[in-house]
Amino acid sequence: MTALLSAVQSDAQLSSLPRAVISNALRAVVDNLRDQLRKNEPLASGALTVAAILALAAAQIAAQRARRLTRVINATGVILHTGLGRSVLSEAAVQRLTQVASGYCSLEIDLATGERGQRGRYAEALLCQLTGAESAMIVNNNAAATMLALRGLAAGKEVIVSRGQLIEIGGSYRLPDVMSAGGSILKEVGTTNKTHLSDYEEAISDRTAMIMHVHTSNYRVVGFAESPGIAELTQLAHDNNLIMFDDLGSGALLDDEMWAREHEPTVAASLKAGADFVSFSGDKLLGGPQAGILLGNKATIDRLRRDPMARALRVDKLTLAALEATLEIYLSPDRPKAEIPTLAALSESLESVTLRAERLAKVLSDAAPSESFTVERLESFAGGGSLPARPIPTAVVRWQPSSAHRAETIVSRMRTGNPAVLARIKDAAVLFDARSLAGHELELLRDAFCAALAC
Ligand SMILES: *Cc1c(COP(=O)(O)O)cnc(C)c1O
């Protein structure tokens, strides 16, 4: 080990790294070699030289560093890509985030009085103003919101849910499991495609606490399908002294015909139909940071606020800073689609996306004149478990490489480059979807492409 460590001193690349990083990597490499020797596994010739061991350690450190969070250029066309962090924050949100993060902030001090204040009060007031809700509460994500609600309002009691709404979302969120983790008992009613109001009615007993409606965010039951709406369910719930909960999932806040076209319920509409409370994510169709938002009548939200679990699920100042700035944009109806990247990407016209694709094709052919790039119209999806039914028309730049193998190689190089670029492969061609690309990313994408191609 000492010999290795002293050899590191003369290695330009390794010697600049923290000592702990180097010795960890060296130890792992040496342990691994020892293991191979013990098992009599054949070693490559020269595997035991200092140079070979240093090279393995350097590769290991590089592989580890590649797992850092890093900027990604999203050319997949999927706008709310859960793997890529869902919503991109608006300029205003990023600025507020930076301001609040770089010093102390008024998180729990009411500056007007100098007294202790309530965390999140401003964002909650904005949410009420924007949706007509009486009261609001913000937690870590919508999974947390749902769990808190079930635990706080229906522990040990039955919650009635239609079989058509027993959703699973990526990342191990399955409604039946969330329900049992929240300590309540799932009472399934109806069938996958049809649930009638009478199915709910017949399931009500003295063990029932709540009727839960779940937005089928990432799928639609279409065709011979039917289920009662929020107004009908609320009526039934209230006639029986039950709580009505609508898990909206995506949380479309903007009052816009875009959602009507998608049959995407808005938050305000659900509250207006009578739900005692609703929940949704901050980073799906709202276009803000990861958060879970609960809105509803004051009595219900206050009960949840007092739950000891609420403390464990509360959001931090960075989330609140970004959320406040995002919600402020919604105060002026003409701003969201212009300033919130998620809404801008979803609502951008095909003509405008096509112009960007054409610009990208030109930038790429200027850099690699011997390659072939064409602009094509295709379809992309909102993603993130939002708006699954309607593909969004989009424009892509298709690069036709000489072989399928070459397409794979270049896409993999671009994915591991800096900045990383994610693209799709279809029929041995590489597709760069302009809908999820920002205008200022085109040159970065070109540079990444050239680096991968060595052009
Ligand atoms: C996305 C979603 C969730 C989970 O929300 P997170 O914010 O990702 O925790 C829960 N319910 C529905 C209906 C959803 O669409």
Side-chain angles (χ1 to χ4, degrees):
M1 199 48 110
T2 329
L4 287 169
L5 283 172
S6 68
V8 165
Q9 301 308 319
S10 45
D11 184 304
Q13 197 196 348
L14 286 176
S15 59
S16 64
L17 296 171
R19 216 180 149 81
V21 172
I22 300 167
S23 47
N24 257 344
L26 285 175
R27 201 167 302 120
V29 170
V30 170
D31 284 352
N32 196 24
L33 286 170
R34 236 185 242 126
D35 228 38
Q36 281 178 280
L37 285 173
R38 201 176 302 128
K39 291 185 194 146
N40 277 327
E41 282 171 19
L43 291 177
S45 72
L48 294 175
T49 61
V50 168
I53 291 173
L54 289 192
L56 279 178
Q60 174 156 331
I61 291 166
Q64 175 120 27
R65 295 223 155 180
R67 293 195 192 99
R68 279 193 293 208
L69 275 180
T70 178
R71 264 299 294 276
V72 170
I73 293 177
N74 176 9
T76 65
V78 182
I79 297 158
L80 285 172
H81 199 303
T82 300
L84 300 181
R86 290 194 187 152
S87 278
V88 172
L89 293 179
S90 65
E91 222 18 78
V94 172
Q95 270 180 27
R96 190 76 56 83
L97 190 64
T98 313
Q99 269 171 19
V100 166
S102 54
Y104 294 102
C105 70
S106 57
L107 185 61
E108 288 185 3
I109 297 278
D110 183 341
L111 294 177
T113 61
E115 306 284 320
R116 180 85 187 235
Q118 184 196 313
R119 174 189 293 247
R121 177 169 278 177
Y122 178 62
E124 288 169 6
L126 287 176
L127 283 163
C128 291
Q129 189 179 340
L130 291 165
T131 61
E134 207 174 88
S135 196
M137 182 176 174
I138 302 159
V139 292
N140 201 31
N141 54 23
N142 192 22
T146 310
M147 216 173 276
L148 179 70
L150 292 169
R151 208 190 94 96
L153 305 170
K157 299 280 228 161
E158 288 181 359
V159 176
I160 307 176
V161 186
S162 159
R163 289 200 169 89
Q165 297 170 7
L166 293 176
I167 58 166
E168 167 170 332
I169 311 166
S172 73
Y173 181 101
R174 307 180 101 189
L175 190 64
D177 302 340
V178 171
M179 198 140 318
S180 56
S184 46
I185 301 149
L186 172 62
K187 181 78 184 167
E188 300 174 28
V189 295
T191 61
T192 304
N193 55 329
K194 282 215 176 196
T195 305
H196 305 282
L197 194 65
S198 57
D199 293 326
Y200 285 93
E201 201 166 358
E202 282 155 22
I204 296 174
S205 74
D206 55 4
R207 295 182 301 277
T208 315
M210 184 188 281
I211 295 179
M212 181 177 179
H213 181 275
V214 187
H215 183 42
T216 57
S217 325
N218 49 6
Y219 65 98
R220 293 282 186 269
V221 179
V222 293
F224 189 60
E226 187 182 308
S227 62
I230 301 301
E232 281 175 279
L233 288 174
T234 303
Q235 182 72 52
L236 178 67
H238 290 177
D239 286 349
N240 291 277
N241 276 323
L242 304 177
I243 298 172
M244 182 64 215
F245 170 26
D246 188 9
D247 175 3
L248 282 162
S250 299
L253 214 53
L254 193 66
D255 184 14
D256 192 89
E257 44 83 32
M258 177 160 74
W259 308 136
R261 223 168 43 225
E262 307 292 345
H263 305 291
E264 177 67 33
T266 63
V267 175
S270 175
L271 287 166
K272 205 160 165 214
D276 290 302
F277 70 104
V278 303
S279 76
F280 55 93
S281 301
D283 55 352
K284 291 184 181 170
L285 296 181
L286 194 152
Q290 178 188 306
I293 293 164
L294 286 149
L295 300 178
N297 66 49
K298 189 165 179 325
T300 311
I301 300 293
D302 280 350
R303 266 177 81 183
L304 297 178
R305 222 189 278 288
R306 285 194 299 269
D307 192 302
M309 191 61 107
R311 173 66 172 77
L313 303 176
R314 75 179 187 185
V315 285
D316 76 323
K317 58 183 179 177
L318 303 183
T319 301
L320 283 172
L323 187 59
E324 285 181 8
T326 307
L327 292 172
E328 280 174 351
I329 295 176
Y330 279 94
L331 293 172
S332 318
D334 53 325
R335 286 180 63 196
K337 282 205 249 178
E339 296 183 34
I340 296 176
T342 298
L343 295 182
L346 283 169
S347 61
E348 191 181 12
S349 72
L350 178 59
E351 288 66 39
S352 163
V353 175
T354 306
L355 283 178
R356 193 160 56 254
E358 281 162 359
R359 199 150 72 73
L360 176 63
K362 171 149 181 13
V363 163
L364 288 170
S365 6
D366 286 351
S370 56
E371 301 294 329
S372 138
F373 303 96
T374 50
V375 172
E376 267 177 33
R377 294 205 163 162
L378 266 182
E379 289 175 335
S380 56
F381 285 88
S386 301
L387 313 176
R390 207 185 61 129
I392 305 165
T394 193
V396 303
V397 173
R398 166 196 283 267
W399 171 55
Q400 191 65 61
S402 50
S403 72
H405 173 71
R406 187 154 167 78
E408 298 275 356
T409 308
I410 300 300
V411 162
S412 146
R413 280 190 199 151
M414 290 181 77
R415 196 181 58 241
T416 50
N418 183 22
V421 177
L422 257 69
R424 297 189 254 176
I425 295 185
K426 188 167 171 257
D427 305 329
V430 177
L431 305 182
F432 301 111
D433 193 320
R435 187 169 286 279
S436 55
L437 286 170
H440 68 268
E441 290 177 329
L442 305 188
E443 276 77 24
L444 291 170
L445 191 153
R446 172 204 57 203
D447 295 346
F449 180 75
C450 284
L453 206 71
C455 60

